[in-house]
Amino acid sequence: MALLPYSRSIFLIISLLLTLSSISAAELDAHHYDKTCPQVEKIISETVQRASTFDPKVPARILRMFFHDCFIRGCDASILLDSSVGNKAEKDGPPNLSVHSFYVIDEAKSKLEKACPHTVSCADIIAIAARDVVALSGGPSWDVLKGRKDGRISKASETVNLPAPTLNVSQLIQSFAKRGLGVKDMVTLSGGHTLGFSHCSSFQARLHNFSFLHDIDPTLNTQFALNLKKICPKPNTNANTNFSAGQFLDSTASVFDNDYYRQLLAGKGLFSSDQSLVGDHRTRWIVEAFAKDQSLFFTEFVASMLKLGNVGVSENGEVRLNCKVVN
Ligand code: HEM
Ligand SMILES: *[C@@H]1O[C@H](CO)[C@@H](O)[C@H](O)[C@H]1NC(C)=O
Ligand SMILES: *[C@@H]1O[C@H](CO)[C@@H](O)[C@H](O)[C@H]1NC(C)=O
Ligand SMILES: *[C@@H]1O[C@H](CO)[C@@H](O)[C@H](O)[C@H]1NC(C)=O
Ligand SMILES: *[C@@H]1O[C@H](CO)[C@@H](O)[C@H](O)[C@H]1NC(C)=O
């Protein structure tokens, strides 16, 4: 039954049943800065837009930054803190290779400190910027809920709690469930991989000596795998890895669209975690629905981004003056 094509209305009914139990009261609010900093969204959008024009890698990097921030200690801008004497921060944890463009958030923050001092949290800046980069790339837009506080703790050791690209569906479901996110949120947010790039190190284990029986991961499209092997020719050892080589996450990596899901159905998901969504009855129906209906993907993406933006949000914390250091 899970393999049959689903109509939009059946999708919505199943979705409703799945989410009824997970609605939580948010303390965040779309109008949080209406009185204290009415220019907040304009200042951030202009900064993000200008940075993205100079560097087309910025949108993907900021979207990923939001995900990583919210998954470790909740959306509290812990990812922005610099390491200090005696403390190695998240930024300097192992999966830091591809999280960059922190300067864009810092730039927006310094403009905001001039326009409305000590008012807008760094965590809210990331959330607003993440919405902006999706919209800039052709995706949906939405009202960002605001009022997050910035945390005072950031530990590199905690980044091991980010999901790895080798995870299977059960492990992915578990990782998202720990943050109050459901199966549908997991599949929907994985659609963030419609933007951006990955280094060989994140997927080359699928291309060389994959298992006892298969040199190449058999869930990969053969031609796609052979092309990837040309880009990442060496087995997965540090000595051999070319740290700049890699592949875009879908065939339209600067456009926010549903191509990611269509590529998955064609066996062209880059990570095991992506491709596994097709091989499991709990997730395949969602991939199929999104591959068929981009506007459905957009609607669900907005809903799941709002939920992601609520992860671990608490009253405790501060509004940092400089996103890199605690007050
Ligand atoms: C489901 C679990 C997820 C896993 C296992 C995962 C894993 C990864 C990995 C390994 C990379 C490539 C890093 C590199 O080699 O440079 C990556 C890139 C990326 N991820 Fe994810 N990710 C997940 C979920 C998400 C979510 C929820 C979002 C956002 C909604 C997201 C957005 C991105 C973006 C935009 C990039 C490209 C970054 C760039 O171009 O610099 N990912 N992800
Ligand atoms: C990533 O972290 C490692 C060790 O934690 C560090 O040596 C390296 O310089 C960092 N890389 C980047 C690109 O920040
Ligand atoms: C997922 O991986 C875990 C850990 O390796 C394993 O125990 C489990 O059986 C796997 N589940 C599926 C559905 O493959
Ligand atoms: C492939 O993997 C097997 C078992 O993990 C290992 O014994 C073998 O040396 C590997 N071959 C190469 C060429 O790396
Ligand atoms: C590493 O990869 C980059 C990007 O694909 C390429 O330009 C460069 O020539 C490669 N370097 C080596 C030593 O293979």
Side-chain angles (χ1 to χ4, degrees):
M1 175 179 146
L3 299 180
L4 293 175
Y6 273 81
S7 75
R8 196 173 173 134
S9 55
I10 293 176
F11 179 93
L12 293 174
I13 291 165
I14 296 177
S15 302
L16 185 67
L17 294 174
L18 289 175
T19 47
L20 272 181
S21 57
S22 59
I23 293 168
S24 66
E27 304 144 37
L28 303 176
D29 155 27
H31 301 287
H32 188 77
Y33 298 114
D34 279 5
K35 295 218 171 69
T36 53
C37 194
Q39 328 86 302
V40 59
E41 308 235 348
K42 184 164 178 282
I43 290 174
I44 296 170
S45 300
E46 284 173 2
T47 307
V48 166
Q49 198 162 350
R50 187 152 352 108
S52 304
T53 308
F54 282 120
D55 179 2
K57 294 175 179 162
V58 162
R61 288 170 167 182
I62 287 185
L63 180 56
R64 187 168 196 229
M65 189 190 298
F66 177 62
F67 165 54
H68 283 203
D69 183 37
C70 293
F71 257 50
I72 306 294
R73 296 189 166 268
C75 315
D76 68 344
S78 53
I79 194 170
L80 297 180
L81 288 171
D82 280 349
S83 294
S84 56
V85 180
N87 184 57
K88 195 163 150 191
E90 278 171 41
K91 254 182 193 175
D92 295 319
N96 59 358
L97 200 61
S98 65
V99 187
H100 289 295
S101 302
F102 297 114
Y103 72 91
V104 181
I105 308 296
D106 292 327
E107 208 175 298
K109 176 63 173 174
S110 65
K111 288 181 194 162
L112 286 167
E113 280 306 307
K114 288 189 188 110
C116 9
H118 207 178
T119 303
V120 181
S121 67
C122 299
D124 280 345
I125 300 175
I126 301 178
I128 294 168
R131 184 273 318 274
D132 289 340
V133 295
V134 169
L136 262 179
S137 308
S141 189
W142 60 92
D143 286 336
V144 177
L145 304 181
K146 295 163 288 259
R148 295 171 190 79
K149 288 282 166 53
D150 297 326
R152 296 189 185 89
I153 297 171
S154 177
K155 292 184 190 301
S157 58
E158 293 177 344
T159 58
V160 299
N161 297 320
L162 288 163
T166 48
L167 297 194
N168 63 34
V169 170
S170 304
Q171 296 167 310
L172 289 169
I173 289 174
Q174 205 174 25
S175 169
F176 278 67
K178 277 186 196 151
R179 281 90 178 173
L181 299 167
V183 176
K184 184 160 61 78
D185 297 309
M186 186 273 286
V187 179
T188 306
L189 291 168
S190 293
H193 289 170
T194 180
L195 295 181
F197 178 86
S198 170
H199 300 86
C200 291
S201 54
S202 303
F203 58 85
Q204 64 189 356
R206 307 179 73 196
L207 309 172
H208 308 279
N209 204 17
F210 175 71
S211 68
F212 184 67
L213 288 177
H214 301 278
D215 185 45
I216 295 177
D217 182 341
T219 64
L220 273 169
N221 171 291
T222 307
Q223 193 52 52
F224 182 67
L226 293 175
N227 285 339
L228 289 178
K229 249 184 133 138
K230 282 185 202 143
I231 297 167
C232 314
K234 300 282 173 51
N236 194 10
T237 67
N238 263 353
N240 286 330
T241 299
N242 177 344
F243 286 104
S244 44
Q247 169 71 8
F248 292 108
L249 296 182
D250 78 3
S251 64
T252 56
S254 61
V255 182
F256 194 99
D257 57 14
N258 67 343
D259 183 57
Y260 166 79
Y261 297 101
R262 288 190 268 118
Q263 297 302 320
L264 293 187
L265 292 175
K268 298 178 182 178
L270 200 53
F271 307 137
S272 298
S273 56
D274 296 322
Q275 199 58 52
S276 70
L277 302 178
V278 172
D280 191 295
H281 66 94
R282 290 168 291 180
T283 50
R284 183 181 174 103
W285 64 280
I286 308 174
V287 172
E288 286 175 340
F290 291 165
K292 224 177 294 164
D293 187 343
Q294 177 164 284
S295 69
L296 178 63
F297 167 49
F298 281 11
T299 306
E300 294 297 330
F301 191 77
V302 170
S304 292
M305 284 290 274
L306 289 170
K307 280 178 79 175
L308 178 59
N310 261 314
V311 171
V313 168
S314 89
E315 296 289 310
N316 299 327
E318 59 188 18
V319 172
R320 261 177 237 153
L321 296 169
N322 172 348
C323 295
K324 297 177 179 187
V325 291
V326 297
N327 291 343

